Every structure is written in structure tokens, then in C-alpha cells.
Amino acid sequence: MLTPGNPDELLENLNPQQRAAVLHRGPALLIVAGAGSGKTRVLTHRIAHLLATKELWPSQVLAITFTNKAANEMKLRVEELLGQVSEGMWIRTFHSACLQILRREAERLGHSSSFTVYDTGDSRALLRRLLREAGADDGDVKPQAAASVISNAKNELKDAEDFARNIDRSNPRERIIADVYSAYQAELLRNNAFDFDDLIVETVNLFRAFPEVRARYQKKFRHVLIDEYQDTNHAQYALIRELTKPLPKEHAIFDEKTGEQLSPADLTVVGDSDQSIYAFRGADIRNITEFERDFVGAATILLEQNYRSTQNILSGANAVIAQNPYRPQKNLWTDSGSGDPITLFTAFDERNEAAFVVDAIKTAHEEGTNYRDMAVLYRTNALTISLENELKAQRIPYVVVGGLKFFERKEIKDALSYLAAIANVSDDEAIRRIINTPARGIGEKTEAKIAQFARKNELSLRQALLKAGELALGPKITAAVEQFGKLLNELDAMSATEGPADVLKQALIRSGYRTELEHSRDPQDEARIENLDALLGQLYDWQKDFPQGTVVDYLSEVTLASAQDELEDESGNLSLMTLHTAKGLEYDFVFIIGCEQGTLPHIRAFDEPGGLQEERRLMYVGMTRARKKLHLSHALQRTIFGNTSNFLPSSFLSDIPADLIEQQGQQRSVSATPVRKWQGTLTTTSIRDNKDLQLAVGDRISHESFGEGSVVAVSGDGPKQVAEVRFDGGLTKRLLTKMAPITKL
């Protein structure tokens, strides 16, 4: 811990660039932190230095991260440096910080402070119902697709009216989504609920509509720090601007001691444009590349020394990312030595690739590396089937990170819906989920009658339950409905004096939910009971840590959980995950499989502006997860979803200097499913190569399987050209010109 009165201790063991970042003072600072360059150390030391020099009080610090795990790590590190003086700081995720603000200010936006936060599953369930009511079936618009479009609109700060004004009214799909977006927002308001995106969007709206509220928070937060700034979307950028831009004169804030007008909060952001890989969910790389233009007086400090990887790994990653145009020049280096070369394995097919990966994992484990210190990364989940079969056959423990998470399981969602229905009398979606769970004889027709009655009388579903006698449902169903309503009211009253864990325990018992599972013959229901017990155990632990915590508080925390937050570092399991999920993580041994053209880079990237550049950044992120050893592999042919295709190696592989690579391609029998025998290092001569063939719109071609057709669209050029062909038989296919089995007519 820091010696009282000696902030200089915080500068020890920092390199010159890190030290400059900690000491810099000014309105805006961009710290460009390359992978493994100690950005968390710099950020925490900067916070600690501002506090140690008494330039700020802890309560004046707002530090934003993207995961709860990162936020907790930052809190812990500042506490290690300063002790309890760090209490009072806001170190939170974007969503957590906005949630805290909205709990205090919700009434200004037409909500009560007990509002529910809908997670992805809740939002899709509501959209599914609204689409059905709008007369749309899954063939028109899927709930997932509607959710994605609405989420993207919100991230661009486009409300339902803005969205509707800018659609193509002649497009039925767009009209449906526009109508459902409007109905969706109306339902959220009626249910006293926000969805995940709303937490940020509505906070921005709050600050813009009520300058006096923005002034209050600007006075509170005198220094704003943002981690992973390259991953921010437009709404997050707007939030940062609202907290750091000058206030109108009538809402200016003044120093209580000197009486001088205070300038906006200082801003520090940390990020790396080379690791911007979330454009698909709205991240805007311009937020970091145009930082100095956006914030007057901004300075930039570059961190290039890497403390994670060997030089061979870094040199390989540098060579890949250097091919991206318009990026700030940066070259990661380390003084920890060259290390092992990068292994590049050429496999005949996916089974042979799996055999190689599992062999290497077993060898590393036998030589002392724990399974938890190894990870296999891939571009798409479809690549893991053969790998998982081989891991199971070799009895290697593994976990697929980002699969069905604990809080997404049915029984857990049901249990949490009981809590949501208790905490928020207006949450109709929670009631819909549990109204007949466990079975009470309340079918869809009865639910529809209750919903109709509630709307007519301006009641929530929960309020309508107690008036079932007015609905002519029949004595048995009426009794069941009223009993359910009374149970929720009794549990609600209980929550005023008892903790959330006790309330949930009683809800599961008195509702009959647990009894139904206990009497079930479905073997899966035994596991569901275990999961519910685990939930109760976790909730009792939470209750001990937060004795004043309410049901609302607990639900908020659960909703803000993320995939990385649930990753157990001490699990002892090998980790399998997508390259996107791997961001922010590191392992001694890293395997990137499926390094093929059309997979990594993904085929869609050739049609999207900036798509290839983002795929290259994704490769860079994957390579820089490795501390000691990096393995890359590609297959000459691969069977996915029943279709076997030939593949060229990823163009990214040719960017890596040959002297950094150790090439392998040896075959062995695979225990699960034997493969064709072959020997030696493989080359691409065994697959089709159309050499310099280039197609244009209107060209006629012949395909070995689909017959003759006409080229209707072309994208990319050279070996990356993709042609869209409409075949005479009616099929339309997208083909990689260089390797498709085609002949130009």
C-alpha cells in the first residue's frame, strides 16, 4: 500500500510512457494501449495518483469498463494501492453506472424507481408476442432479427418515431419492425421496464431533457475515465459527451470555496484501434480515431511495450495488423525474449486439425501447463464439432465459453421472474412467464382474457389477477388466478422485512414450483433442482455481503452479468471460445483454428465496407491472447452442416514472415473417427485453383454441380473476388472465383 503523503511511489516500476500517462494533466487524454501493454495498471495508477495528490476526492471519480469483472479488478487494484480511501468511487460498467442514475431519476422519464431491466431473453419474448399480435410469422420477421434492428437503432439514438420516418414504406418487413418498435416501447413503459440498450439511451435523453440533472452529475464527477474506448458505440459516446461538455450558462456550476465557474470534467480514455472488433454490435472505430478532433486540447500517449507475449508472437501479430490502412503506427515489442516460433499446421480436414490440436494440448499438459492456461479460439461456433468429439474421446476437460449461461437457463429465468413480478407490480412479462408455471390450469385463452381486462381497466396483469371474479372464468380457474395473485402480494409484503433469498425460497415452495420438479420423472428436472439450489446459495451469499440489498438491487446485478464475468479462472478446464469472446483474456497456449479464406476472414467481410480490416483486427486480437506459444491451423477441406468444401489458407497467414513460422502437417489416426492416411507437409496444390480468373456482371459460367448460370453481382478482386451467380435452375449462390469448380463460358 502507498505510504501516506508519498504519491511518487506510484511512479515506481512504470516505463517512461506509462509514467507520462499517469502524470499528464489536461482536459482530455487518449492512452493508446497496445495488447498486453499494461493498460489496467496505467489506468489504476492514474486514478490513485489523482487521489493521492488530493486533486480529486474518491466520490469525484467515474471510471467505466465494459465488464463487471474488469470493474471489480480495477476497484481491487486501487484499494491495494490506497486502501479504503478508494471507497466512494464509481467504478462500473456503462450499464451499471446508467442504472444507478436512472434508479434516482426514473420518475422524470415516466418510470418508478422499482423498474425492471429486461435482458436479451425478456426482450425477445416480448417482441415474439408483439410480432404475433401484429400478424407477422417467423417467415416475415424473426424476434431475434427485430431485436437486432431495434437495438442498432437505439445505439444510434434513433427512437421509434425517428426509425419509422426513415424506413422504406414499400418494404413490408421494415413496416412491421417499425410498428413493432413503437409497440415495444409502449409495452416497456406500461410494464415499468427498460431494456439493456435503454439504460444508456434513456440516461442520454435524461441529461439532454433536464440540464439541471446533467449539471448535478457534472459537479459530482470531476474526472471521467473510460476503458476499451474503441468499443464504444454512438450512444455511449453521446453519454461521455454529455458528462464532459460545457453546461448552458443558466446551469453553470461553481467551486464552493473559490466561487469560480468550474470547467467540464477531465476525460481519460484508454483503447486501441487495432482491437476494434465489435462493429456488428454498433461499436464505432471513429470514436477513437477522431478523438483529438472531438475533444479540444486532447493529448495522445502511446504504450508499445508488451508484458504478455514473446517477441515472435508480437512480430507475427504486428505483421498482420500492419496491412490495415489508415491506422496509427504502432509496433509492439517486449524485452522478454524471442520465444518459440509460431506453429502453422496444415490439416487435410477438420478431424485431422482436431487431432493435431488435442495432441499439442496433451503434450503441453504433460509438460506442466494447466488446462485452464490454454484456449482454442475460432471465428464461428460451427468449427468446434470435430474438436469437441476429439476432446471427449481423449477425456480432456473443457468448457465452451459463451454457451448457455447459468442465468439463461429455464428454471433460473422462471425463479427470477417470480422475483421480478414481486418487485415490480407493472411487469406484465414476468407475470406472463410464470402465470402457469407450475401448471395452474391457466391456459392461453384465460391469460388473453386477463390481459384484455387489464388493458380495458388500465391495470397491470398482477393487479388484474385479484379481480378474476369479474371475468366469468369459472369457479376453478377463478380460484387459481386469485390464489396466484394473493401469493404474489404476500411475497411482496414479505420482501419489506425479509431478504431476497428468503423471499425466493418461499416463492419456489409456496408456488409449487419446486414440488413439481421433485415429483417429475424427467432426469433433467433433477439438474434443475440443483441449479435452483445453487441460485439460492449464491443469493444467500449475496445477502450476507449486502444486508440492506433489496430484490430490486439483486435483479439489477443479475441482469448486468456478462459471458466473461461467468468465466471461472480456476475451473481447471480448457477454454473454447470465439475470437470475439476472447478479447481481454490471455493464456499461455493459444490455438486459432479454421484460418481459411472465407472463414477468417469471414466471407461476409468482402461485401461490407471496412469488413476485411475488422477481420484482420480480429486475427490480431486472437494472436495477442498468447503468452508463450501460438498455434495456427487451417484445413484443406472442411465439412460444415453436411457440406464438404475445399478451402484456401487465410490471406492473413501470408502476412506473417516465414522466419517466424514452424510449419507442420503430420497425420495420425483420430480416436473418435479415423481419417484418410497421408504423410508429410501439405500444400494447396491438392485443391482447385482457377488462377487469374476474374468475373464480371453478365458473364456466363458453368458449375460442376449447379450447371450453367449468369453472374449478377461481383465484390472484391484478385484472389478475394466473390461472384453471385443465378443459375438457370433457379438457385442463387455466392462463389469464391479463385477456387469454385467453375468454368467461364
Side-chain angles (χ1 to χ4, degrees):
M1 190 183 300
L2 182 70
T3 306
N6 190 9
D8 289 344
E9 287 183 17
L10 289 164
L11 305 178
E12 296 175 2
N13 301 316
L14 299 179
N15 68 42
Q17 289 73 34
Q18 291 175 330
R19 193 177 299 115
V22 169
L23 291 174
H24 180 84
R25 299 295 186 265
L29 172 65
L30 166 62
I31 303 171
V32 179
S37 62
K39 68 178 180 66
T40 304
R41 179 180 176 86
V42 169
L43 205 52
T44 53
H45 276 65
R46 180 166 172 78
I47 294 171
H49 197 269
L50 287 165
L51 297 178
T53 55
K54 296 190 169 42
E55 295 170 65
L56 293 173
W57 295 108
S59 60
Q60 294 177 310
V61 174
L62 172 63
I64 299 292
T65 69
F66 272 81
T67 67
N68 294 316
K69 182 180 178 181
N72 292 332
E73 183 184 355
M74 194 178 295
K75 284 179 189 174
L76 189 63
R77 290 203 189 186
V78 176
E79 284 176 6
E80 288 173 351
L81 293 170
L82 297 180
Q84 295 305 305
V85 73
S86 62
E87 290 185 1
M89 293 186 301
W90 276 38
I91 302 181
R92 303 169 182 266
T93 65
F94 270 107
H95 294 93
S96 174
C98 290
L99 176 63
Q100 185 93 350
I101 293 169
L102 290 176
R103 287 281 181 221
R104 298 175 180 178
E105 314 291 344
E107 291 184 2
R108 295 177 183 268
L109 300 172
H111 289 69
S112 76
S113 61
S114 62
F115 62 79
T116 301
V117 182
Y118 284 0
D119 64 14
T120 302
D122 299 326
S123 295
R124 287 183 185 174
L126 175 55
L127 286 167
R128 186 176 293 107
R129 175 169 68 81
L130 294 174
L131 285 165
R132 189 169 58 247
E133 291 175 358
D137 57 35
D138 274 2
D140 298 322
V141 184
K142 293 184 183 297
Q144 183 175 349
S148 178
V149 172
I150 292 170
S151 178
N152 290 338
K154 288 186 176 185
N155 289 334
E156 291 295 321
L157 296 178
K158 295 176 181 175
D159 61 19
E161 290 183 5
D162 291 333
F163 182 80
R165 276 196 296 269
N166 292 285
I167 65 164
D168 179 3
R169 300 300 302 185
S170 66
N171 187 321
R173 185 176 182 274
E174 291 190 20
R175 285 202 312 273
I176 290 170
I177 293 177
D179 292 343
V180 167
Y181 185 2
S182 181
Y184 174 71
Q185 290 303 114
E187 282 294 283
L188 287 175
L189 183 60
R190 205 172 82 83
N191 291 356
N192 188 32
F194 293 115
D195 68 16
F196 215 56
D197 295 314
D198 284 334
L199 295 178
I200 297 172
V201 172
E202 294 298 337
T203 304
V204 173
N205 292 339
L206 173 75
F207 287 160
R208 290 177 174 178
F210 303 97
E212 68 277 14
V213 175
R214 176 159 73 92
R216 184 159 22 99
Y217 284 96
Q218 279 206 9
K219 187 176 183 179
K220 174 177 175 57
F221 301 125
R222 302 304 303 148
H223 203 120
V224 179
L225 304 101
I226 313 293
D227 195 12
E228 303 287 1
Y229 188 67
Q230 76 282 343
D231 295 336
T232 53
N233 60 33
H234 180 66
Q236 291 160 340
Y237 169 81
L239 177 70
I240 296 163
R241 293 291 289 177
E242 292 300 320
L243 285 169
T244 57
K245 71 181 184 183
L247 289 159
K249 286 183 180 179
E250 60 270 27
H251 296 291
I253 52 179
F254 298 89
D255 188 289
E256 294 175 356
K257 292 182 179 178
T258 66
E260 294 180 356
Q261 184 173 337
L262 294 175
S263 59
D266 289 341
L267 175 65
T268 299
V269 305
V270 182
D272 180 8
S273 58
D274 288 338
Q275 297 184 70
S276 180
I277 60 173
Y278 295 125
F280 68 95
R281 68 185 189 195
D284 191 341
I285 194 172
R286 292 175 299 178
N287 291 350
I288 190 167
T289 59
E290 298 177 4
F291 182 85
E292 291 187 346
R293 189 197 70 179
D294 290 346
F295 295 92
V296 178
T300 298
I301 293 174
L302 192 62
L303 306 182
E304 294 179 292
Q305 185 173 356
N306 178 281
Y307 296 92
R308 176 189 300 159
S309 308
T310 65
Q311 188 60 56
N312 280 341
I313 294 170
L314 293 178
S315 297
N318 287 336
V320 170
I321 199 63
Q323 303 303 312
N324 265 4
Y326 316 118
R327 58 177 286 272
Q329 288 302 307
K330 181 173 79 276
N331 197 54
L332 295 181
W333 63 275
T334 183
D335 58 9
S336 61
S338 299
D340 293 338
I342 299 168
T343 295
L344 175 59
F345 183 79
T346 302
F348 176 74
D349 62 12
E350 70 276 7
R351 290 171 296 168
N352 181 235
E353 180 183 55
F356 160 74
V357 170
V358 173
D359 267 354
I361 289 168
K362 286 180 69 177
T363 299
H365 186 254
E366 289 165 0
E367 293 175 351
T369 302
N370 196 298
Y371 288 128
R372 69 169 175 263
D373 295 323
M374 293 185 272
V376 182
L377 314 181
Y378 39 83
R379 180 63 177 85
T380 63
N381 289 301
L383 295 174
T384 69
I385 297 172
S386 292
L387 179 64
E388 290 192 65
N389 285 340
E390 184 67 6
L391 288 168
K392 289 172 183 174
Q394 298 292 329
R395 298 184 178 180
I396 293 175
Y398 73 94
V399 59
V400 180
V401 181
L404 186 62
K405 296 181 284 294
F406 182 77
F407 288 105
E408 293 175 356
R409 294 167 184 169
K410 179 187 181 300
E411 63 276 12
I412 304 301
K413 291 285 290 182
D414 290 343
L416 295 178
S417 290
Y418 270 96
L419 288 184
I422 294 163
N424 178 6
V425 71
S426 300
D427 192 346
D428 286 359
E429 293 309 303
I431 296 292
R432 289 177 187 276
R433 183 177 183 98
I434 59 174
I435 194 169
N436 201 42
T437 304
R440 301 185 175 91
I442 306 173
E444 290 184 5
K445 290 183 179 179
T446 301
E447 182 187 321
K449 284 184 180 180
I450 299 170
Q452 188 178 13
F453 176 82
R455 286 179 182 271
K456 184 178 178 181
N457 293 276
E458 297 184 349
L459 301 170
S460 69
L461 283 184
R462 182 175 148 189
Q463 292 168 328
L465 295 174
L466 298 176
K467 298 181 180 292
E470 302 177 30
L471 295 175
L473 299 174
K476 189 175 180 179
I477 295 178
T478 298
V481 172
E482 289 181 340
Q483 187 178 356
F484 177 51
K486 288 176 182 176
L487 171 64
L488 294 176
N489 281 359
E490 290 167 4
L491 292 167
D492 193 355
M494 179 183 175
S495 69
T497 57
E498 302 290 335
D502 301 300
V503 174
L504 179 59
K505 185 177 181 179
Q506 287 301 309
L508 295 173
I509 294 171
R510 294 178 59 186
S511 67
Y513 191 100
R514 187 179 183 95
T515 303
E516 185 175 79
L517 291 177
E518 287 173 343
H519 288 87
S520 170
R521 293 186 177 181
D522 185 346
Q524 292 186 14
D525 285 341
E526 187 174 339
R528 292 189 174 105
I529 293 172
E530 292 175 357
N531 288 335
L532 289 172
D533 288 341
L535 176 67
L536 279 170
Q538 187 257 10
L539 185 45
Y540 273 112
D541 289 341
W542 182 87
Q543 205 167 278
K544 288 177 186 175
D545 293 337
F546 303 96
Q548 303 304 314
T550 65
V551 173
V552 170
D553 295 331
Y554 177 71
L555 289 172
S556 298
E557 187 162 314
V558 167
T559 306
L560 299 177
S562 72
Q564 285 193 0
D565 295 331
E566 293 193 8
L567 182 60
E568 180 58 64
D569 292 332
E570 302 303 319
S571 64
N573 292 329
L574 170 77
S575 293
L576 274 56
M577 70 189 81
T578 66
L579 287 158
H580 286 99
T581 303
K583 177 116 176 336
L585 304 175
E586 57 185 68
Y587 299 89
D588 285 351
F589 281 60
V590 168
F591 300 79
I592 304 178
I593 64 173
C595 297
E596 295 124 21
Q597 206 70 354
T599 303
L600 180 64
H602 199 279
I603 189 70
R604 288 196 301 268
F606 297 106
D607 288 336
E608 298 170 356
L612 192 58
Q613 287 75 30
E614 176 145 338
E615 292 290 302
R616 192 181 297 279
R617 292 194 293 270
L618 193 58
M619 181 73 169
Y620 173 81
V621 165
M623 294 175 73
T624 54
R625 299 312 93 196
R627 290 191 285 251
K628 297 179 180 179
K629 180 67 181 178
L630 175 63
H631 296 82
L632 308 175
S633 61
H634 69 98
L636 298 181
Q637 72 175 37
R638 195 178 292 275
T639 302
I640 302 176
F641 303 126
N643 297 314
T644 301
S645 303
N646 296 327
F647 287 90
L648 288 169
S650 169
S651 56
F652 300 153
L653 298 178
S654 62
D655 297 331
I656 305 172
D659 60 347
L660 300 177
I661 292 176
E662 177 188 39
Q663 295 203 22
Q664 295 185 19
Q666 300 297 317
Q667 189 268 343
R668 74 163 176 85
S669 294
V670 185
S671 57
T673 40
V675 299
R676 185 187 312 176
K677 294 280 185 181
W678 59 278
Q679 299 290 331
T681 302
L682 293 170
T683 67
T684 60
T685 55
S686 60
I687 61 175
R688 186 176 180 105
D689 186 349
N690 293 324
K691 301 190 183 299
D692 298 327
L693 176 63
Q694 295 286 277
L695 298 175
V697 174
D699 284 346
R700 294 281 295 171
I701 63 101
S702 175
H703 190 283
E704 289 180 6
S705 301
F706 306 126
E708 295 184 3
S710 298
V711 178
V712 296
V714 175
S715 59
D717 53 31
K720 301 171 185 177
Q721 186 188 70
V722 176
E724 186 173 326
V725 181
R726 184 172 295 132
F727 291 96
D728 298 345
L731 288 173
T732 299
K733 295 284 185 180
R734 298 179 72 250
L735 307 171
L736 190 64
T737 304
K738 183 174 178 62
M739 56 183 296
I742 58 176
T743 304
K744 186 175 178 181
L745 299 178

